[in-house]
Amino acid sequence: MSSLFSSLKMMTKGAMRCVLITNHLKFFETIGNFQLLQVTVRDALNQAMDEELERDERVFLLGEEVAQYDGAYKVSRGLWKKYGDKRIIDTPISEMGFAGIAVGAAMAGLRPICEFMTFNFSMQAIDQVINSAAKTCYMSAGLQAVPIVFRGPNGASAGVAAQHSQCFAAWYGHCPGLKVVSPWNSEDARGLLKSAIRDDNPVVVLENELMYGVAFEVSEQGLSKDFTIPIGKAKVERPGNHVTLVSHSRMVGHCLDAAAVLAKEGIECEVINLRTIRPLDVETIEASVVKTNHLITVEGGWPQFGVGAEICARIMEGPAFNYLDAPVIRVTGVDIPMPYAKILEDNSTPQIKDIIFSVKKTLNM
Amino acid sequence: VLKLLLSKSEKNAGFADSPSVSAISIVFNLLLCTHPFKKCELHRLDQGPPTQALLTREQGLKYYRTMQTMRRMELKADQLYKQKIIRGFCHLYDGQEACAVGIEAGINPSDHLITAYRAHGYTYTRGVSVKEILAELTGRRGGVAKGKGGSMHMYAKHFYGGNGIVGAQVPLGAGLALACQYKGNNEVCVTLYGDGAANQGQIFESFNMAALWKLPCIFICENNKYGMGTSVERASASTDYFKRGDFIPGLKVDGMDVLTVREATKFAADYCRSGKGPILMELETYRYHGHSMSDPGVSYRTREEIQEVRSKSDPISMLKDRMISNNMASLEEIKEIDVEIRKEIEEAAQFLCNHIFYNEPPMEVRGTNPWSKLKSIS
């Protein structure tokens, strides 16, 4: 309770009012004022799970340290205390085993949320995710649904080195039968996780550990219990005319920062937040390319067979190809296992200067 | 007195099916099994399943019919595969019928069951028709998965396949059991795997969690002595599969005797339903075919071995002999059933000429030459 309180700041237009907010109290609206709340991504995910657990008794959470430890990254803080052993289950360190158990429970009609402490560990269980979960609806010709959510932090963190820094967007995005979402901000996190839990298909939710502690303004609508974001729809975070930047997860923030710098030089970037990796919203990207004629993809993962590579191929195959004034540029993580030393790590993932450099390159400046 | 009554009993075909039978007739139609079961070896259990069972004529005929249907269906699949009408993988279950039928007899239709890829038998016992199974195997729209699954991916209510990845179905089964516990519906989940899969790490992960959380899961190892081409001695440091659950109690059961399997399954199901947690059963059984249709099955075992099992321990023959020697059915009756089943399977395998007309009785269709006569069913 106190932890949530400490991470909230009320902002009202003109009014000098402070309202105590906890997970349990309702949000009280000040009449006539438009209110926004600062919510961290962590709390957004926490609230989303809390609300869905309350809404549907078939929903439950399992994973390592999700219950009594409050979550390895505290994303499930308070849930075990509220819902108990039956709904929030601590598992032994057996990824393949508990992922399979979660899939089996989903086949029997429950709606599990299976947490991987990081998606690096999901490799141990990837057979259950792909062969047991993703393909089953198809193999059974629609007889057997698997309404499961696999979630956890994905991609680079800080100083955790090669075995703990891989981005799995491309691997999971490759497979038919899976839906894959990658939220950036708190609103994304809330809306996409709620949609994922309510979806009757297996959904992989790729969170980002470095984003957990970042607070964003969330509108009142975004805080409502039934707020969902449709899976498969990208969002234009910032309109612009000169170049399109497409990204997902943490890199969206980098794109917006780069856009702010470039705006001072008169270059207006349109920043698209993919939100969903699979199914990919190509239409939104195409509409933007038709307008700007220049496209840059930005991702944290490796270049070969990556999200950017897929976007390049799709654009080339579609009508927007004829509107390109230059080849699509991919800004990606460096094609190496992630090093440990800070200076090496910093230079292994896209930085704002890399995006700015690429924009100027494509605009021939 | 019982023996006297039994020796005087006559088979009455329609009589056995009539629901309102008098007390004396029940005696005529019941049999207290006089063959002792092979006693089950136990692991961490003080007592095992009963060593005797009650078999009624009705039950006996039902088990016989089911096993024989499965046998003929698998042999038909063998034929169709050789004609290249079935493609890809085809793992046949003949020889192991007593396992599927015995297990089904020991659980309720509302219980859950999941197995690996040698699944045609279980697909049948869990309620899918032979027609739908053969249609699925031959990739037709009328198949249980509309032709999109094939041999290893057939599903039904409370039957979760048919799974292609060795061992992956075991955590799934533990998850199904978790759902039973979560919903509090007193159902159990039967989770099957083979002697080859028994060495998969994820199975031990499942054992741990199932025991930790007392999941109502009956783990069953169908030990047919060969994991593909590797005999159990060459694959496992310990071939006591019923003990490999370590902290999970286990029992070893003769998988060629349908009654033993039934009683052991009932015992296991009661154990789970009472909330004591999971239990492990090893069924000793044998497959006549090779691992799959691409394996002749004789490079790693002798024809003599196969022949010996066929002559001494065939599950269908054993049940037939038991019923005949106890005057529960006559040889003619059994032969009639055999003929009926053969016909049924043949009809189910007819695809080429079906559906010429809607809702018409079967008719004859000329094939490509005057001697080729095919059958069309609506």
Side-chain angles (χ1 to χ4, degrees):
Chain A
M1 197 165 117
S2 59
S3 52
L4 187 61
F5 177 49
S6 66
S7 73
L8 291 180
K9 234 195 302 175
M10 261 304 270
M11 283 179 10
T12 61
K13 271 202 178 139
M16 296 291 167
R17 202 172 304 209
C18 261
V19 179
L20 195 74
I21 306 285
T22 68
N23 268 336
H24 307 281
L25 289 185
K26 283 209 176 105
F27 182 106
F28 291 106
E29 190 181 298
T30 308
I31 299 162
N33 279 335
F34 183 60
Q35 298 189 330
L36 296 163
L37 220 54
Q38 287 272 336
V39 181
T40 61
V41 172
R42 174 183 289 113
D43 290 334
L45 294 165
N46 184 287
Q47 284 165 22
M49 285 198 285
D50 191 351
E51 287 161 14
E52 295 305 303
L53 282 158
E54 191 167 30
R55 175 181 180 268
D56 187 342
E57 59 177 20
R58 297 170 299 172
V59 177
F60 70 99
L61 172 67
L62 90 169
E64 293 158 9
E65 312 299 350
V66 297
Q68 298 189 17
Y69 197 85
D70 272 336
Y73 300 98
K74 307 300 177 207
V75 177
S76 54
R77 177 170 40 209
L79 295 179
W80 175 68
K81 224 169 166 192
K82 183 171 176 185
Y83 294 101
D85 284 330
K86 180 178 170 182
R87 313 282 302 280
I88 314 291
I89 304 177
D90 271 338
T91 65
I93 307 175
S94 315
E95 272 77 8
M96 200 166 186
F98 71 71
I101 283 181
V103 175
M107 288 179 172
L110 298 182
R111 305 186 76 89
I113 306 169
C114 177
E115 177 178 304
F116 291 119
M117 198 180 280
T118 75
F119 266 96
N120 300 287
F121 313 141
S122 75
M123 275 201 284
Q124 305 253 312
I126 202 164
D127 174 70
Q128 296 289 2
V129 177
I130 307 299
N131 280 322
S132 300
K135 296 179 183 172
T136 293
C137 182
Y138 184 89
M139 291 192 298
S140 67
L143 279 178
Q144 182 64 67
V146 186
I148 189 170
V149 173
F150 297 101
R151 52 158 292 272
N154 174 61
S157 180
V160 292
Q163 292 179 341
H164 291 74
S165 306
Q166 187 168 335
C167 174
F168 288 84
W171 282 27
Y172 287 120
H174 188 60
C175 301
L178 261 192
K179 295 190 184 180
V180 182
V181 299
S182 183
W184 163 56
N185 63 10
S186 302
E187 191 172 291
D188 286 354
R190 256 184 78 74
L192 289 172
L193 184 54
K194 282 164 93 71
S195 289
I197 295 169
R198 295 183 192 195
D199 200 309
D200 289 333
N201 294 289
V203 184
V204 168
V205 181
L206 302 171
E207 300 160 7
N208 188 297
E209 200 239 314
L210 295 171
M211 297 303 293
Y212 282 156
V214 180
F216 292 89
E217 274 174 8
V218 183
S219 64
E220 193 199 318
Q221 189 212 8
L223 289 169
S224 94
K225 284 201 173 162
D226 279 319
F227 173 72
T228 56
I229 289 177
I231 295 178
K233 201 84 192 69
K235 182 182 178 198
V236 178
E237 296 284 352
R238 181 194 193 281
N241 285 323
H242 299 130
V243 60
T244 303
L245 302 176
V246 180
S247 185
H248 72 98
S249 189
R250 185 155 174 268
M251 292 295 138
V252 174
H254 281 28
C255 288
L256 287 169
D257 291 343
V261 171
L262 288 163
K264 294 196 191 115
E265 298 180 45
I267 303 172
E268 294 300 327
C269 303
E270 180 147 292
V271 177
I272 299 179
N273 173 4
L274 279 176
R275 285 180 159 179
T276 302
I277 305 290
R278 185 175 188 114
L280 195 65
D281 182 1
V282 185
E283 285 82 28
T284 302
I285 307 175
E286 282 174 338
S288 179
V289 169
V290 164
K291 188 169 64 165
T292 67
N293 312 121
H294 297 86
L295 178 58
I296 298 178
T297 68
V298 185
E299 66 194 292
W302 295 316
Q304 193 157 332
F305 305 106
V307 175
E310 176 64 17
I311 293 174
C312 286
R314 298 265 206 127
I315 291 294
M316 188 201 61
E317 288 171 348
F321 175 70
N322 294 309
Y323 290 83
L324 282 173
D325 284 349
V328 180
I329 294 181
R330 296 178 295 162
V331 176
T332 68
V334 177
D335 202 12
I336 51 170
M338 182 66 73
Y340 163 68
K342 182 154 196 338
I343 189 162
L344 294 178
E345 187 181 56
D346 287 345
N347 284 289
S348 303
T349 42
Q351 300 180 51
I352 295 167
K353 63 174 168 65
D354 295 316
I355 304 172
I356 294 173
F357 176 79
S358 300
V359 168
K360 291 191 172 166
K361 264 287 203 182
T362 196
L363 291 173
N364 250 327
M365 294 169 69
Chain B
V1 172
L2 192 64
K3 267 198 170 157
L4 189 67
L5 286 168
L6 287 171
S7 66
K8 282 196 173 172
S9 78
E10 307 244 314
K11 67 161 178 63
N12 280 312
F15 195 66
D17 298 325
S18 152
S20 56
V21 288
S22 68
I24 296 182
S25 340
I26 288 173
V27 173
F28 285 132
N29 288 313
L30 284 182
L31 171 73
L32 195 65
C33 186
T34 54
H35 298 263
F37 289 169
K38 225 164 125 179
K39 191 163 187 285
C40 298
E41 266 184 77
L42 300 175
H43 170 70
R44 286 190 193 264
L45 281 168
D46 291 323
Q47 72 184 91
T51 48
Q52 283 185 331
L54 217 64
L55 177 73
T56 69
R57 186 185 128 83
E58 199 181 324
Q59 285 170 345
L61 289 176
K62 181 167 130 192
Y63 302 157
Y64 182 85
R65 195 179 268 277
T66 312
M67 290 201 287
Q68 187 69 285
T69 304
M70 277 163 58
R71 175 68 59 91
R72 297 247 59 94
M73 179 178 77
E74 293 296 76
L75 295 177
K76 175 52 70 177
D78 172 283
Q79 264 179 38
L80 291 169
Y81 193 91
K82 289 175 175 149
Q83 294 173 304
K84 297 204 200 298
I85 304 177
I86 297 180
R87 310 158 50 232
F89 292 126
C90 190
H91 307 88
L92 298 179
Y93 197 66
D94 52 316
Q96 300 185 215
E97 294 87 356
C99 297
V101 175
I103 289 171
E104 190 63 33
I107 57 174
N108 305 324
S110 57
D111 289 320
H112 307 261
L113 191 142
I114 189 169
T115 184
Y117 46 76
R118 202 174 301 279
H120 307 162
Y122 290 100
T123 313
Y124 181 66
T125 52
R126 285 261 102 187
V128 180
S129 70
V130 175
K131 194 163 179 189
E132 279 182 295
I133 295 174
L134 291 178
E136 183 61 35
L137 290 174
T138 52
R140 278 165 169 76
R141 210 178 335 208
V144 62
K146 303 198 173 79
K148 295 167 89 170
S151 167
M152 299 187 291
H153 310 296
M154 296 195 267
Y155 303 80
K157 186 152 192 267
H158 292 212
F159 174 60
Y160 304 84
N163 288 276
I165 307 294
V166 172
Q169 76 279 11
V170 179
L172 295 182
L176 294 165
L178 177 83
C180 294
Q181 187 189 64
Y182 190 102
K183 294 186 196 177
N185 53 23
N186 206 32
E187 290 162 6
V188 298
C189 180
V190 176
T191 303
L192 293 134
Y193 60 96
D195 49 280
N199 297 315
Q200 272 270 310
Q202 54 187 321
I203 292 187
F204 295 94
E205 293 188 10
S206 308
F207 286 165
N208 181 42
M209 286 184 268
L212 200 57
W213 301 330
K214 292 204 172 9
L215 302 181
C217 189
I218 306 173
F219 293 106
I220 301 187
C221 177
E222 277 180 293
N223 178 3
N224 60 17
K225 306 199 177 32
Y226 298 93
M228 206 156 147
T230 307
S231 67
V232 292
E233 299 81 37
R234 295 205 302 126
S236 302
S238 160
T239 54
D240 288 326
Y241 295 104
F242 69 107
K243 290 186 187 165
R244 305 269 304 262
D246 190 7
F247 35 77
I248 297 182
L251 60 155
K252 184 159 148 173
V253 176
D254 177 9
M256 301 306 258
D257 181 341
V258 67
L259 284 181
T260 319
V261 177
R262 182 187 79 182
E263 291 309 308
T265 307
K266 275 193 189 156
F267 172 83
D270 287 339
Y271 182 94
C272 285
R273 274 187 242 277
S274 67
K276 297 200 186 104
I279 192 168
L280 178 55
M281 240 163 75
E282 178 185 342
L283 296 177
E284 280 195 296
T285 183
Y286 199 84
R287 54 165 162 82
Y288 296 142
H289 269 85
H291 162 72
S292 73
M293 284 305 297
S294 33
D295 169 28
V298 286
S299 60
Y300 48 86
R301 55 184 189 172
T302 62
R303 287 183 208 273
E304 288 77 41
E305 182 187 287
I306 305 172
Q307 205 30 56
E308 188 173 350
V309 176
R310 235 190 242 280
S311 53
K312 299 221 180 96
S313 328
D314 182 273
I316 300 176
S317 307
M318 288 204 323
L319 181 63
K320 179 173 94 178
D321 292 341
R322 180 176 282 167
M323 289 189 65
I324 290 175
S325 66
N326 285 288
N327 280 327
M328 292 178 85
S330 73
L331 195 57
E332 291 77 44
E333 203 181 353
I334 301 281
K335 284 215 171 113
E336 249 174 60
I337 295 177
D338 285 348
V339 167
E340 229 178 276
I341 290 173
R342 240 179 245 263
K343 196 157 152 273
E344 237 175 77
I345 304 290
E346 279 308 313
E347 277 177 8
Q350 284 281 351
F351 299 115
L352 190 61
C353 301
N354 286 349
H355 299 132
I356 295 178
F357 289 114
Y358 181 75
N359 216 9
E360 286 281 303
M363 60 185 219
E364 212 175 67
V365 174
R366 186 193 195 267
T368 52
N369 61 65
W371 300 273
S372 160
K373 290 196 184 351
L374 307 163
K375 194 152 170 213
S376 170
I377 303 171
S378 282

